[in-house]
């Protein structure tokens, strides 16, 4: 793995983890919970696109040992384009497919954490 690509991977991993702290800080410091949610959702969407870009670069480079990061990018995409509409529907209507917003949010948070862990494993398992 080239030094430039390794740096890109580490920066992606750092941005994934830092987005958690930034989102928590937004909810703590911003009294308008709706605005906090909109801002946090935008940050998570940006992370999805960033992850897909890094995964695409890895695929074009033929990075076969990048499987945990490919999985992470897939989880972020699943979160953004499959779960987020259910979260939005549950927030607006009280429930979606029988689950409330809190349940959808918990599922989404678990997927995001799994993506963070996948990228961390990928970074940690790379040979020097």
């Amino acid at each position: 793995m080239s030094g430039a690509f390794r740096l890109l991977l580490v920066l992606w991993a750092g941005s994934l983890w830092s987005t958690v702290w930034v989102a928590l800080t937004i909810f703590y410091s911003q009294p308008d919970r709706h605005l906090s949610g909109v801002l946090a959702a935008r940050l998570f969407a940006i992370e999805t696109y960033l992850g897909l870009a890094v995964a695409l670069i890895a695929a074009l480079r033929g990075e076969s040992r990048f499987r945990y990061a490919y999985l992470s990018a897939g989880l972020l995409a699943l979160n953004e384009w499959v779960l987020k509409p259910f979260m939005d529907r549950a927030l607006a209507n009280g429930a979606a497919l029988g689950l409330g917003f809190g349940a959808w949010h918990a599922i989404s948070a678990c997927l995001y954490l799994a993506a963070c862990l996948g990228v961390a494993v990928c970074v940690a398992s790379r040979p020097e």
Side-chain angles (χ1 to χ4, degrees):
M1 175 185 317
S2 74
F5 183 74
R6 184 173 179 86
L7 178 61
L8 180 63
L9 178 60
V10 169
L11 289 173
W12 178 36
S15 74
L16 277 173
W17 285 100
S18 66
T19 299
V20 173
W21 314 128
V22 170
L24 291 172
T25 301
I26 289 170
F27 276 96
Y28 178 77
S29 61
Q30 173 55 254
D32 183 345
R33 300 212 29 103
H34 176 73
L35 177 59
S36 297
V38 168
L39 293 172
R42 184 67 187 131
L43 289 171
F44 290 120
I46 290 168
E47 284 299 330
T48 298
Y49 288 107
L50 179 60
L52 291 173
V54 173
L56 177 63
I57 291 168
L60 291 174
R61 291 174 41 88
E63 293 286 343
S64 60
R65 296 181 306 164
F66 202 66
R67 64 183 168 274
Y68 287 110
Y70 291 135
L71 176 63
S72 294
L75 290 173
L76 293 174
L78 177 71
N79 227 355
E80 182 67 23
W81 293 305
V82 177
L83 261 62
K84 187 175 181 299
F86 288 110
M87 288 175 64
D88 292 343
R89 195 172 311 138
L91 186 60
N93 301 329
L97 295 179
L99 296 176
F101 175 78
W104 285 112
H105 190 275
I107 294 167
S108 176
C110 288
L111 287 178
Y112 189 85
L113 180 59
C116 290
L117 291 172
V119 172
V121 166
C122 191
V123 168
S125 67
R126 290 291 175 206
E128 292 292 324

